[in-house]
Amino acid sequence: MAKDPDLLAQIERGALNDAVSLASLLRKCVALGGATRSAELRDWASDELNGYRDDTKIPEYRIVHAPILADGRTFTHQITGQQISSWDLPDFAREHITNEVRLARGVGELEAVLSNAARNGETVVRLQPPGAADLVTFMNSQQGGGIERIYWGVSTGQIAGTLDQIRTTLVRLASEMRAAQPAGTAMPSHDAATEAVHVVLHGGTRNVVNINTAQARDGGNATVMATPPTDGKEPGGSKTATIWTVAGVVVAIVSAYFTYRQWRG
């Protein structure tokens, strides 16, 4: 029987190697989410691969700022890359088209955009807002024509930076799962995968276990207290916390026993 692949190790190695395709790593992350039964991990990796259809779910590392530009023509001149303000747009468009750009496209498409720009020697990518073509038609009907296109001028450095942050997020997720993975096991637990997403993507707090040993001369009593996160967020990783709690009980009992032996001796 073929040995199951160590997906976590493959993701760790690949994420640290810039030559490995980010899209390929995210597909492995989807598979890892399935193997650990973590819907949160699977959904995040799928959104990064396919693009974010829900605008409210776009992570902060995918939000950049860029100027609004317009191309057009007058009777005598061709105008290219004219910077405009959202106040130059119709009232109904000002709230939706600002200098804030949400890079909702999938990772593969963002990588292709960068590759095409590099091949053409470009440092700025033209990204059109949703409904830009209809907006241009409306504005031309109101102003007598002249506008050819409206778009954001996003630098290739901003797109490369976004892809780098996605790769870094993969490293952080893998590190959190590795830290919570019991030695000798081939696959992170469901709780470890879910807590990794909770900590890395949502700013949650890791579970903390404090071990307090009260040493008494006549057979010491040991107490173990699990301290939940103090930020009011739902804790994760209950299985990991249980493992360390059991370990804490063993340490406390052994410590109390030797204290008792020294007192009797």
Side-chain angles (χ1 to χ4, degrees):
M1 180 184 298
K3 185 178 179 182
D4 291 336
D6 189 340
L7 289 170
L8 182 57
Q10 292 178 28
I11 292 170
E12 286 175 316
R13 288 194 300 269
L16 294 173
N17 182 356
D18 290 340
V20 176
S21 165
L22 191 51
S24 172
L25 293 173
L26 286 166
R27 282 190 284 272
K28 291 180 180 180
C29 199
V30 172
L32 181 61
T36 58
R37 303 184 307 282
S38 172
E40 292 86 349
L41 180 61
R42 195 164 60 246
D43 289 348
W44 171 78
S46 296
D47 284 338
E48 290 294 339
L49 274 170
N50 302 323
Y52 287 82
R53 294 178 177 84
D54 184 352
D55 192 61
T56 62
K57 291 175 60 179
I58 296 178
E60 288 188 10
Y61 55 74
R62 275 179 167 264
I63 300 175
V64 299
H65 290 81
I68 306 170
L69 305 177
D71 294 348
R73 181 185 297 274
T74 68
F75 288 111
T76 57
H77 294 86
Q78 175 71 40
I79 301 173
T80 302
Q82 175 68 47
Q83 184 168 343
I84 62 175
S85 166
S86 58
W87 291 101
D88 296 318
L89 303 175
D91 294 347
F92 64 82
R94 291 173 187 169
E95 181 181 350
H96 305 285
I97 302 178
T98 67
N99 294 120
E100 182 179 277
V101 186
R102 294 173 176 263
L103 299 175
R105 303 183 184 191
V107 157
E109 190 173 353
L110 291 177
E111 289 179 327
V113 165
L114 275 187
S115 178
N116 291 337
R119 186 164 51 249
N120 296 328
E122 299 172 342
T123 58
V124 174
V125 175
R126 298 189 298 186
L127 298 180
Q128 286 195 324
D134 292 334
L135 177 61
V136 167
T137 299
F138 176 83
M139 292 178 68
N140 281 334
S141 69
Q142 298 296 307
Q143 302 172 13
I147 303 173
E148 295 178 350
R149 64 181 61 85
I150 291 175
Y151 54 92
W152 287 300
V154 181
S155 74
T156 53
Q158 288 175 304
I159 297 176
T162 296
L163 291 171
D164 185 68
Q165 289 193 61
I166 296 170
R167 186 178 291 272
T168 300
T169 300
L170 260 178
V171 173
R172 292 182 61 201
L173 285 168
S175 298
E176 289 290 336
M177 285 185 277
R178 180 66 74 191
Q181 183 178 358
T185 59
M187 189 71 65
S189 68
H190 164 78
D191 289 338
T194 299
E195 182 169 291
V197 175
H198 175 70
V199 171
V200 174
L201 298 179
H202 305 305
T205 304
R206 301 180 187 90
N207 278 348
V208 179
V209 177
N210 295 327
I211 302 175
N212 296 325
T213 306
Q215 295 181 346
R217 294 196 172 190
D218 133 0
N221 295 321
T223 61
V224 180
M225 297 189 304
T227 304
T230 58
D231 61 355
K233 299 184 184 205
E234 182 181 352
S238 58
K239 186 176 290 186
T240 303
T242 301
I243 292 171
W244 285 108
T245 298
V246 172
V249 170
V250 173
V251 171
I253 291 173
V254 172
S255 175
Y257 171 76
F258 279 107
T259 300
Y260 175 74
R261 288 290 302 272
Q262 292 173 358
W263 176 74
R264 289 293 300 271

